[in-house]
Amino acid sequence: MFAFLSPGTELRRFKKGTLPKIAIAVLLFIPLIYGALYLWAFWAPNDEIKNLPVALVNEDVGAVKDGEHFSAGDDVTTELLDGKDLDWHKTDAADAAAGVSSGEYYFSVTIPKNFSESAISAATDAPTQAVVQVNYNDSNSFLASTMGQQAMVQLRDTVALNVGDQTVNTLLVGLHDAGGGIRDAADGATTLADGLDTAKAGAGDLVVGLGTLADGTTSLQDGAEKLDTGAHSLADGLSTLNGGASTLSGKSGELASGANQLATGAGSLNSGTSQVSGGVATLSSSVTDLIAAINAAPAGTPASAFVPTLQKLQAGVGQVAAGASQTDAGAAQLAAVAAQLAAGADQLSAGAGQVAAGVDSAHSGAVTLADGTSTLSNGTDSLVDGSQALLDGGTKLESGAGQLVDGSHTLADALSEGGDEIPNDSSSMIDEKSTIISNPIALEQNWDNKSSSFGEGFAPFFLALATFVGALITWLILRALPTRALATSASGIRTVMTGFLPAMAIGLGQVIIMVLVLVYGIGLEPTYWLGMSAFIYLTTLAFLAMQQMFIILLGSAAGRVVSLVLLMMQLSSSGGTYPVETTPSFFQALHPYMPASWVVTGLRELITGGIDYRLWVSVALLLILLVGSLAISALSASKQRMWTIKRLHPELTI
């Protein structure tokens, strides 16, 4: 069978003794220690942030709102203390500052004096954010500050809800007060609406009346046009009638004069005729008498005998002649008058024609005038109806207008009162208030000894790890206790120093190279870089001495195993990454006793600044570790001058 398949080759030497068996067990659990232990330590640090000690200072003096005093700072303080999101310690400003500086508190939260005043300032002309002041100190823990910043964002949101309630409440009170005016304005608007409805109805009636009035006006216009036409026709007829009547009147006068003249002529003619008739009668009587006289006279009667009769006959002839002359004169006068009467009759006939034409025109105009008058009457009736509708609509419109006036006054007064309650802000002021309302809380974050980068914040932890691993590797190469020194009569301390001095030299070289690369290569900017270098070298010496002690006391193999286990314990309990308060209680209990805890504390102050007693405590503890380890190693070395079978054949070797 091949030698490497033999079950007794390498494992056989772990059968004898107790220490080899323990070593096998440790080997089995080493991955678990490095894996599970570290995971356990940092399984859910954010869930344990409630254990971070943080100072809470409430300096708020309160403010007056609606005539009552209130304190938003007290409300926020109570809410934070009851919420227990952090390990709040309510204190004053001096204690908070001292505690953050000394590491008693990781950081502090201060509610300033004007917090309440700022909380309600959004409703004023000078809106300001309510400020929460936070003071960090990275020399306490960089990651604690980082976690604190995350916690402060949550705190800001929580406080913003509380302060936002105050801000919104203040605005809502103002809006509520303005709402009273707005509700009154609503009543006025209702009255206004009713008035508008009434006015609308009146306007409807007014429209109907206007329509009727328009119809009546149209009819009135038509009748007026007809009336105008008839009036013109009547005027023309009357003008013609007036002309004919004037002519008729003039000619009638002439006719009357002619008639008078005719009567005179007729009288003269009648008188002449009477004279002629009388003369004829006289003549006839004279002729008869003459004839009778002649007949009666004897023959030969002288003519003189007939003279009286002839004279009578002559008188009758004269009378007849005079009557005839008068008759002729009357006849001539009658003829002239007749001619004048004929002319006047003609003119009278013409005037009578004009009168007849004027009468016809006047009749036609009168008919048209009558139609126009009827149409005008109908239009007048429509006009009356439309006027009544206008009157009714106007009455309703007047009533609605009254309601409109009342509603307008109510609306104006209410809106004025509501407007007084609601600020009349400029656009810039509105933007400013909107910003305040949407983000009422501002975090004023300040740092004492701030780390310039993430790497600088974690540098203390990794430097502590580097120095411990550097010492571990050093003792893998160098002998912790040279056997040649044991063979001499040198003292125990001298024997130990024989192995320790070379390690010191190598450690010094490690520190010089590491610091130069960190400062000039990576860019680490420690506040006290020479002090940091000296402290790192002190740490290296302390870790070299401690691990040398483990090897001298427990042997090479067991001592190195213990160093590895201690390394894991320090990684998870030193507080170099997450604050130790966020780890399980097991690691919190280990924390004060782990050398890496002191190293991390000292390096934080030397790198970020803020040196206080903690640095000197760390220096003192490392010196104690260094001196104590060398002393124990010296004591143990002095006892190892006597060789035994167990020392010659140790149970476990590396």
Side-chain angles (χ1 to χ4, degrees):
M1 178 177 281
F2 295 105
F4 67 86
L5 294 178
S6 175
T9 53
E10 182 63 20
L11 293 179
R12 181 180 299 174
R13 64 190 184 96
F14 291 94
K15 290 181 179 181
K16 296 180 180 180
T18 302
L19 192 59
K21 295 181 177 65
I22 295 175
I24 292 295
V26 171
L27 288 175
L28 293 175
F29 283 94
I30 283 292
L32 175 64
I33 293 173
Y34 272 83
L37 196 65
Y38 197 80
L39 288 176
W40 178 33
F42 306 116
W43 183 256
N46 288 329
D47 294 342
E48 302 301 325
I49 195 174
K50 61 185 178 182
N51 297 321
L52 283 181
V54 178
L56 177 60
V57 180
N58 179 20
E59 296 181 334
D60 184 28
V61 297
V64 176
K65 183 180 72 173
D66 299 330
E68 296 182 359
H69 183 272
F70 85 104
S71 175
D74 291 343
D75 295 339
V76 171
T77 299
T78 300
E79 186 172 355
L80 293 178
L81 293 175
D82 292 343
K84 298 181 179 180
D85 294 327
L86 293 167
D87 183 16
W88 296 106
H89 294 259
K90 186 177 179 181
T91 184
D92 56 32
D95 180 69
V100 172
S101 177
S102 66
E104 180 182 358
Y105 310 121
Y106 281 106
F107 54 92
S108 65
V109 175
T110 302
I111 301 173
K113 293 181 179 180
N114 62 344
F115 188 79
S116 294
E117 183 179 352
S118 299
I120 60 173
S121 65
T124 68
D125 293 332
T128 56
Q129 286 181 306
V131 176
V132 174
Q133 299 170 346
V134 187
N135 188 44
Y136 302 101
N137 187 353
D138 284 354
S139 66
N140 294 332
S141 172
F142 170 76
L143 203 54
S145 298
T146 303
M147 296 175 72
Q149 293 176 60
Q150 297 172 354
M152 289 304 99
V153 172
Q154 297 176 355
L155 179 143
R156 181 193 62 192
D157 296 339
T158 301
V159 175
L161 290 176
N162 186 293
V163 173
D165 289 343
Q166 298 291 342
T167 301
V168 173
N169 179 266
T170 301
L171 291 176
L172 289 179
V173 168
L175 290 176
H176 180 270
D177 294 339
I182 294 173
R183 285 186 286 274
D184 292 338
D187 295 337
T190 301
T191 304
L192 198 62
D194 294 339
L196 287 172
D197 290 338
T198 304
K200 180 180 179 182
D205 293 341
L206 197 61
V207 169
V208 173
L210 287 173
T212 306
L213 187 63
D215 294 339
T217 302
T218 301
S219 300
L220 191 65
Q221 183 179 4
D222 294 340
E225 290 176 355
K226 291 180 180 180
L227 193 63
D228 181 68
T229 302
H232 280 87
S233 298
L234 183 61
D236 293 340
L238 289 175
S239 177
T240 304
L241 183 62
N242 183 54
S246 297
T247 303
L248 190 60
S249 175
K251 297 308 176 183
S252 295
E254 293 179 5
L255 189 62
S257 177
N260 290 330
Q261 292 178 0
L262 184 61
T264 302
S268 298
L269 184 60
N270 184 51
S271 176
T273 301
S274 297
Q275 288 182 353
V276 170
S277 177
V280 169
T282 300
L283 185 59
S284 177
S285 174
S286 296
V287 170
T288 300
D289 288 339
L290 181 58
I291 292 172
I294 292 172
N295 287 330
T301 305
S304 59
F306 294 99
V307 170
T309 304
L310 286 172
Q311 288 178 343
K312 184 179 180 182
L313 179 58
Q314 183 180 5
V317 171
Q319 186 178 1
V320 169
S325 175
Q326 189 174 0
T327 300
D328 288 340
Q333 187 175 4
L334 283 176
V337 171
Q340 186 176 358
L341 285 176
D346 291 338
Q347 292 179 356
L348 188 63
S349 177
Q354 289 180 333
V355 170
V359 169
D360 290 338
S361 177
H363 179 270
S364 176
V367 171
T368 304
L369 189 63
D371 293 339
T373 303
S374 177
T375 304
L376 187 63
S377 176
N378 293 333
T380 302
D381 292 338
S382 298
L383 190 63
V384 170
D385 294 339
S387 298
Q388 185 61 44
L390 281 175
L391 180 60
D392 295 339
T395 301
K396 291 182 180 180
L397 192 60
E398 181 183 8
S399 176
Q403 289 179 310
L404 284 175
V405 170
D406 294 339
S408 298
H409 285 301
T410 302
L411 184 62
D413 294 341
L415 288 177
S416 178
E417 293 174 2
D420 292 338
E421 297 294 337
I422 299 176
N424 185 18
D425 296 329
S426 63
S427 58
S428 60
M429 180 61 71
I430 291 174
D431 293 340
E432 188 174 352
K433 287 187 176 182
S434 299
T435 301
I436 297 300
I437 293 171
S438 62
N439 189 19
I441 297 298
L443 291 178
E444 183 180 298
Q445 302 183 102
N446 299 305
W447 268 264
D448 294 336
N449 314 311
K450 185 177 182 180
S451 296
S452 61
S453 64
F454 196 83
E456 183 176 303
F458 279 99
F461 172 74
F462 287 107
L463 289 176
L465 174 63
T467 53
F468 193 92
V469 172
L472 185 63
I473 300 301
T474 299
W475 292 124
L476 287 176
I477 304 300
L478 300 179
R479 291 183 180 182
L481 186 62
T483 55
R484 186 173 181 178
L486 288 174
T488 66
S489 60
S491 63
I493 187 62
R494 185 174 179 180
T495 303
V496 170
M497 292 303 295
T498 302
F500 188 72
L501 289 175
M504 286 179 62
I506 293 175
L508 179 60
Q510 291 174 342
V511 171
I512 292 173
I513 293 172
M514 182 170 61
V515 169
L516 290 176
V517 172
L518 288 175
V519 173
Y520 297 104
I522 297 177
L524 180 67
E525 297 180 355
T527 303
Y528 307 100
W529 75 274
L530 288 177
M532 179 194 72
S533 302
F535 186 83
I536 292 175
Y537 187 54
L538 173 62
T539 301
T540 299
L541 295 179
F543 283 161
L544 284 170
M546 182 180 63
Q547 293 185 44
Q548 183 187 32
M549 177 190 67
F550 290 152
I551 294 172
I552 293 173
L553 285 176
L554 303 175
S556 177
R560 290 184 174 89
V561 170
V562 170
S563 295
L564 289 173
V565 172
L566 180 60
L567 173 62
M568 189 61 235
M569 293 295 184
Q570 292 185 112
L571 289 176
S572 55
S573 62
S574 65
T577 52
Y578 289 98
V580 69
E581 288 83 0
T582 64
T583 61
S585 57
F586 171 76
F587 299 100
Q588 294 184 43
L590 289 178
H591 175 72
Y593 307 103
M594 293 291 103
S597 301
W598 317 331
V599 176
V600 169
T601 298
L603 286 176
R604 279 175 177 162
E605 296 194 355
L606 289 166
I607 292 175
T608 61
I611 292 177
D612 57 21
Y613 74 95
R614 289 174 291 175
L615 173 63
W616 309 120
V617 169
S618 298
V619 170
L621 290 174
L622 288 175
L623 286 173
I624 291 172
L625 178 62
L626 172 61
V627 175
S629 296
L630 291 175
I632 293 173
S633 296
L635 182 60
S636 178
S638 63
K639 293 181 179 180
Q640 293 183 28
R641 293 183 181 278
M642 186 178 294
W643 289 86
T644 62
I645 297 299
K646 186 176 183 180
R647 286 191 61 199
L648 291 173
H649 302 283
E651 294 179 344
L652 186 63
T653 59
I654 296 178

